[in-house]
Amino acid sequence: MKTIIRNASIVNEGNTIIADILIANERIEKIGTSINLEGASSIKEINAEGLYLLPGVIDDQVHFREPGLTHKGTIYSESKAAVAGGITSFMEMPNTIPNTLTQELLEEKYVTASKTALANYSFFMGINQNNLEEALKTNNETVCGITDDGLYFNEQEILANNLEYLEKLFSRAETLVALHSEDESIIHRNYAHYFHKTDGKIPLSYHAKIRNAEAC
């Protein structure tokens, strides 16, 4: 079946035009004024006059909770919420349980998503001090990247504080590497300051004061 969305205010690349969109086989086939498919069968038409039609958003940093924390959310439930908000593609982080630190665990996420995800998907391979060689096996054709997001390099610090390890990673990685880049000494200093100031009752609004621009 083909679908024509008619008279939509299409927002794309900084411009807004009123036009029709023809969708065939779940892909945009044509954008134009007054698209005519005379003689074609099985056409669904949607009148979008007065409505905006925007490209789907790509969210490159989501924290879904499958596996291990599915009482909070699953790939299905969170991708459903994403699509409801106009996000049609997501890239998910490795801090599930267990952490995604092996190619086998990474592949398991892809298998689950192939069955349950309602949006386009990719998953980051996790990295810490113990799995450099495993992380370097990551296929940059099918995996969005390597990250320490949600993980610690060891039990106390982030990878960005370990320059020798960073050199090994960046000199050999063939895929995108996305890392937390914060000065933890500044974060700890800020935390101690606001902990004292608030008698240990730090409000959520102070998050940006603790992890401030200086720390980043």
Side-chain angles (χ1 to χ4, degrees):
M1 175 182 287
K2 294 187 176 183
T3 300
I4 299 178
I5 302 175
R6 294 206 180 275
N7 302 312
S9 296
I10 301 171
V11 180
N12 193 33
E13 297 181 346
N15 296 310
T16 302
I17 62 171
I18 297 177
D20 299 345
I21 289 184
L22 171 63
I23 301 170
N25 298 318
E26 300 184 346
R27 293 184 177 272
I28 295 174
E29 187 172 283
K30 183 178 181 180
I31 299 175
T33 56
S34 300
I35 294 176
N36 189 357
L37 295 179
E38 288 186 4
S41 59
S42 299
I43 299 175
K44 178 182 179 180
E45 294 201 16
I46 299 172
N47 180 16
E49 184 175 357
L51 303 176
Y52 287 96
L53 185 59
L54 288 76
V57 175
I58 299 173
D59 192 333
D60 64 359
Q61 186 192 17
V62 302
H63 293 269
F64 295 173
R65 298 305 179 189
E66 187 173 1
L69 296 164
T70 52
H71 61 287
K72 295 184 177 182
T74 64
I75 291 174
Y76 171 75
S77 68
E78 306 312 282
S79 64
K80 184 177 182 180
V83 170
I87 295 169
T88 55
S89 302
F90 66 83
M91 303 177 194
E92 201 257 1
M93 296 299 162
N95 61 326
T96 46
I97 298 176
N99 297 155
T100 313
L101 294 171
T102 68
Q103 296 298 323
E104 182 179 5
L105 290 170
L106 181 63
E107 179 59 26
E108 287 177 6
K109 281 190 173 183
Y110 277 89
V111 171
T112 300
S114 70
K115 300 174 182 177
T116 63
L118 299 178
N120 303 313
Y121 54 85
S122 190
F123 297 90
F124 276 91
M125 175 66 180
I127 189 166
N128 64 13
Q129 64 177 339
N130 299 315
N131 77 326
L132 176 62
E133 296 303 322
E134 185 74 0
L136 290 173
K137 297 176 185 176
T138 300
N139 185 342
N140 64 1
E141 294 294 325
T142 58
V143 180
C144 52
I146 297 170
T147 188
D148 68 338
D149 196 314
L151 311 177
Y152 276 94
F153 178 69
N154 51 43
E155 294 182 357
Q156 297 179 330
E157 58 184 356
I158 60 175
L159 194 157
N161 292 336
N162 295 270
L163 299 183
E164 182 178 349
Y165 195 93
L166 284 178
E167 178 65 29
K168 294 178 182 178
L169 173 61
F170 278 101
S171 64
R172 298 176 59 194
E174 296 183 355
T175 187
L176 179 145
V177 178
L179 303 176
H180 272 288
S181 300
E182 299 169 303
D183 188 321
E184 289 197 313
S185 65
I186 296 175
I187 294 172
H188 293 322
R189 184 189 70 200
N190 291 342
Y191 179 85
H193 170 75
Y194 290 112
F195 187 91
H196 175 74
K197 184 177 180 179
T198 62
D199 293 325
K201 300 177 181 179
I202 302 175
L204 291 175
S205 59
Y206 278 44
H207 179 83
K209 295 179 181 292
I210 295 170
R211 296 180 178 270
N212 61 6
E214 182 186 7
C216 293

